Amino acid sequence: MNTTPQAIRGTQDIFGADADSFAHVVETFERVRKLYRFRRVEMPVFEKTEVFSRSIGETTDVVSKEMYSFEDRGGESLTLRPEFTAGIARAWLTDGWKQYAPLKVATHGPLFRYERPQKGRYRQFHQIDAEVLGAAEPLADVELLVMADHLLKELGISDGVTLQLNTLGDVASREAWRAALVEYFRAHKADLSEDSQDRLERNPLRILDSKDARDKAFVADAPKIDTFLSGEAQDFFGTVTAGLDAAGVAYERAPTLVRGLDYYRHTAFEFVTSRLGAQGTVLGGGRYDGLMESLGGPVTPAVGWAAGIERLSMLVADAGAVPTAQLTVALAVEDDAALSYALKVMSGLRYQGLDVEIVASGSARKRYDKAVKLGARVLVSFGMTEGAPVANLRTTETTTASLAVEQVLQSIQP
Ligand code: ATP
Ligand code: MG
């Protein structure tokens, strides 16, 4: 007997209530990003591997362990995108998007990371993403953060989600901090986790991000960025926090928040919740002024964020915040001779913007009851009277929907 091929581990077939909340997240994002005038872009699902390895950084988990890379038939190394930012930065450089600076773009779609699948963590997952390219001013960071906060509020999930905010400073501040961290952690090297011992020389900031209990004890007392911030970096951060205060966006200062990727400067942030177990980060981002250079382009300031749609969907579903889509009109065709009239009416209703389902198959006697079960706001039954098709509006209340249906019925004759 033939066996059915199974789905790939860590991928999802999103259906039913999950698909409804997923769609609700994407629709809400589309609505909100328009309020902030972010332009929609569509990006390739795969890129040359170097687009990611050079920008995200060879020493990050994403590049060293999580990428889906393969050689195509032409022998070139390609990678399924593990994030949006690198591809968008590549497009900025190769497509001359600089002429639109400052450019606000938004997108959403699937991403691929070879991770251990578990609740809230998949190998193909989905993100919404927003970026401001070619913008050096801290107000760009503020606008992105305010938009993220607005989105969470629109989704009805901002309760219990906190914005954790940090600055990594400019290049000079970051380097001084890095040196101090290396010195500090080197003194405790033997007690750190194996991963962090490895990170010590290559990517010491990442130790701050470690979830290993052995590291956490030392992270608490590690040198803080504030000691090393230049005057300019302090001013930058001050403008960001003042902007958030003015916009009424609450945040917590998180001095050990560094984000996993190498390219960040200045603002770094995550919206976190305790409601998703270990997978607590729902939205994360920051300023990546160093990224374009690593792709061989000119220094280009930019800032952005991304959020996992699956994690947002889970929060939305848990909060009961997915709007239910009640059917507006059900049509019951109780006599086949009235079918073509019913079809005309159905078309007219849909062109008026009303959603419609029709019951016109199976035993004619049972169709009415089937249509009732659809739970529509308005029910219309179709039958024959004295040889002519007739429509009967079956509703007890006069509502906007019933009035609209009545109008359509008057304008469409059998
Ligand atoms: P984590 O610490 O959870 O691994 P990350 O720092 O790798 O997250 P980012 O690269 O910042 O995550 O991606 C932004 C968001 O994308 C995350 O906050 C999360 O909501 C989502 N995300 C990341 N990886 C996955 C995954 N494997 N499955 C589902 N969602 C994910
Ligand atoms: Mg990760």
Side-chain angles (χ1 to χ4, degrees), residues 118-302:
Q118 53 196 290
K119 187 173 157 38
R121 191 174 290 285
Y122 309 95
R123 288 181 172 175
Q124 175 175 336
F125 63 102
H126 303 78
Q127 282 183 346
I128 50 176
D129 181 279
E131 317 275 349
V132 186
L133 304 152
E137 59 284 351
L139 283 184
D141 310 44
V142 173
E143 186 171 41
L144 274 165
L145 281 163
V146 173
M147 179 165 80
D149 183 71
H150 191 165
L151 173 69
L152 299 179
K153 286 180 177 146
E154 285 289 315
L155 288 171
I157 55 173
S158 59
D159 263 6
V161 177
T162 350
L163 166 56
Q164 307 223 314
L165 183 68
N166 197 16
T167 175
L168 308 176
D170 45 28
V171 178
S173 338
R174 197 181 144 126
E175 281 315 302
W177 185 35
R178 183 190 150 100
L181 285 172
V182 172
E183 195 185 309
Y184 168 81
F185 283 121
R186 204 178 270 150
H188 304 290
K189 184 166 179 181
D191 299 316
L192 297 176
S193 69
E194 294 75 27
D195 274 351
S196 286
Q197 294 190 16
D198 189 45
R199 288 171 186 138
L200 188 51
E201 312 294 333
R202 298 195 300 142
N203 196 350
L205 266 63
R206 290 276 286 116
I207 301 178
L208 299 177
D209 207 22
S210 169
K211 278 148 195 148
D212 196 300
R214 286 171 290 174
D215 300 329
K216 280 187 174 164
F218 298 105
V219 167
D221 295 326
K224 302 283 183 292
I225 179 70
D226 286 6
T227 321
F228 307 95
L229 282 185
S230 66
E232 259 174 72
Q234 272 174 31
D235 287 348
F236 191 99
F237 194 53
T239 309
V240 172
T241 53
L244 294 178
D245 291 339
V249 174
Y251 59 88
E252 264 173 26
R253 180 68 199 277
T256 61
L257 189 151
V258 291
R259 307 277 304 137
L261 314 180
D262 278 353
Y263 50 55
Y264 286 109
R265 306 274 186 279
H266 290 292
T267 323
F269 55 86
E270 288 183 351
F271 285 80
V272 297
T273 175
S274 54
R275 280 188 267 143
L276 290 174
Q279 270 56 258
T281 306
V282 288
L283 186 152
R287 178 164 279 280
Y288 51 90
D289 295 352
L291 189 153
M292 298 285 185
E293 266 181 296
S294 63
L295 288 176
V299 179
T300 307

Side-chain angles (χ1 to χ4, degrees), residues 12 14 22 122 124-126 308-314:
Q12 321 164 71
I14 306 170
F22 190 106
Y122 309 95
Q124 175 175 336
F125 63 102
H126 303 78
I309 299 178
E310 287 84 356
R311 292 186 198 173
L312 291 172
S313 300
M314 282 194 272

